[in-house]
């Protein structure tokens, strides 16, 4: 019997990916080992590579163990991956961009429509048998409104494209203006918020964007403005958001991600002006299987050519 090459697995993976990988590799789960530090030290040089998910990330101690190999990540977000440790240890890193863009952009609109049009409370109203006793209240229009997008990368651009179909006036905040697009660049985030009915967060997570959405930004968004987040919970100062909602300083929030998910602050529950999803923007059958395929393609590409197909950018 030939021994299969070993892959270090940083946390539980989707079942399909786990099964596919196990056809050709021996999978070694890092999260079940008792003494992580000595395990990583004694197993240095024994792995063909590592596999993680955005939510598990990858720290410097793992990169030292994986020196000279590859880390493939299921997910596009690399805020939890220590890229400088990867570089220092000559570990190639890949993520899964593009294949999840459309589904994430779709959910941004689901959240916008959901929270502004009160979709969940309206459905609950019907389910509770209240319709026959009277009409449901009014909600807020989405079409034709002003959309501010924070971060105009792949996902931000896909959101903007959808917004064109909703006849929205589209502005964006980014590090640099993007050339050749019909959307208005706004260099000042407070100005963007002040001029938006919907402020959608679509930027990277990590130290650079931590608490970018501050109490001041929420104040600027104002009592008729909705905040939508499909990026990372860390981008919003969650305490400031809770305060802003309690003080009616903003109209509502639609969130697919939270600062300490899966923990949900009590203050954000049971509030009809808040719609929270359990980080499902990319979780469709189609997108998940495309992500799984891209993880395996990246791994094979590295093993055959020494290069991954989709490094983090
Ligand atoms: C992933 C995500 O499904 O890709 C990302 O960065 O946040 C999600 O869309 C999830 O993170 C997989 O770990």
């Amino acid at each position: 019997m030939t021994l299969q090459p070993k892959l270090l697995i940083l946390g539980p993976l989707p079942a399909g990916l786990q099964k596919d990988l196990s056809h050709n590799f021996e999978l070694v789960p890092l999260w079940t080992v008792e003494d992580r530090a000595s395990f990583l030290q004694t197993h240095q040089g024994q792995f063909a590579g590592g596999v993680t998910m955005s939510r598990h990330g990858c720290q410097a101690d793992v990169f030292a163990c994986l020196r000279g190999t590859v880390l493939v990540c299921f997910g596009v977000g690399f805020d939890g991956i220590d890229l400088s440790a990867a570089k220092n240890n000559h570990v190639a890193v890949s993520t899964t961009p593009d294949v999840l863009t459309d589904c994430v952009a779709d959910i941004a609109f689901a959240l916008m429509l959901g929270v502004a049009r009160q979709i969940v409370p309206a459905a609950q109203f019907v389910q509770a048998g209240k319709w026959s006793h009277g009409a449901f209240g009014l909600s807020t229009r989405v079409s034709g409104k002003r959309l501010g997008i924070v971060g105009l990368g792949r996902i931000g651009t896909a959101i903007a494209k959808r917004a064109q179909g909703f006849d929205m006036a589209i502005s964006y905040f980014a590090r640099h203006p993007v050339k050749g697009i019909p959307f208005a660049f706004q260099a000042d985030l407070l100005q963007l918020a002040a001029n938006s009915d919907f402020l959608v967060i679509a930027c990277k997570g990590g130290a650079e964007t931590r608490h970018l959405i501050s109490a001041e930004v929420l104040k600027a968004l104002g009592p008729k403005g909705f905040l939508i987040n499909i990026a990372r919970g860390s981008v919003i100062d969650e305490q400031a958001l809770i305060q802003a909602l309690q003080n009616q300083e903003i109209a509502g929030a639609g969130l697919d991600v939270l600062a300490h998910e899966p923990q949900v602050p009590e203050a954000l529950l049971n509030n009809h002006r808040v719609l929270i999803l359990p980080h499902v923007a990319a979780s469709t059958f189609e997108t998940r299987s495309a992500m799984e395929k891209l993880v395996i393609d990246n791994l094979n590409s590295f093993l055959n050519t020494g290069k991954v197909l989709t490094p983090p950018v």
Side-chain angles (χ1 to χ4, degrees), residues 144-148 193 195-199 221 224-227:
K145 291 288 181 70
R146 299 167 304 167
L147 172 68
N195 295 320
S196 297
D197 300 303
F198 294 87
L199 188 65
L221 181 59
K224 291 195 168 164
F226 291 88
L227 180 71

Side-chain angles (χ1 to χ4, degrees), residues 6 16 40 88 101 127 149 171 186 197 242 253 265 267 271 281 283 296:
K6 287 183 186 172
L40 288 173
N88 292 341
T101 298
Q127 272 167 4
I149 304 175
S171 308
Q186 175 53 263
D197 300 303
I242 289 169
N271 181 342
S283 304
I296 289 178

Side-chain angles (χ1 to χ4, degrees), residues 12-86:
L13 299 177
L17 178 60
Q18 163 114 7
K19 191 166 164 232
D20 286 350
L21 289 169
S22 67
H23 291 146
N24 298 312
F25 299 93
E26 182 190 337
L27 308 187
V28 180
L30 176 62
W31 72 99
T32 61
V33 305
E34 263 173 30
D35 185 344
R36 175 181 165 122
S38 81
F39 174 88
L40 288 173
Q41 215 159 33
T42 52
H43 287 76
Q44 215 158 2
Q46 294 188 12
F47 295 104
V51 185
T52 192
M53 292 177 72
S54 296
R55 80 167 84 114
H56 307 316
C58 187
Q59 286 83 43
D61 56 348
V62 175
F63 281 119
C65 177
L66 294 177
R67 194 170 176 82
T69 68
V70 65
L71 176 83
V72 291
C73 175
F74 178 93
V76 72
F78 51 88
D79 44 309
I81 299 178
D82 186 339
L83 287 183
S84 69

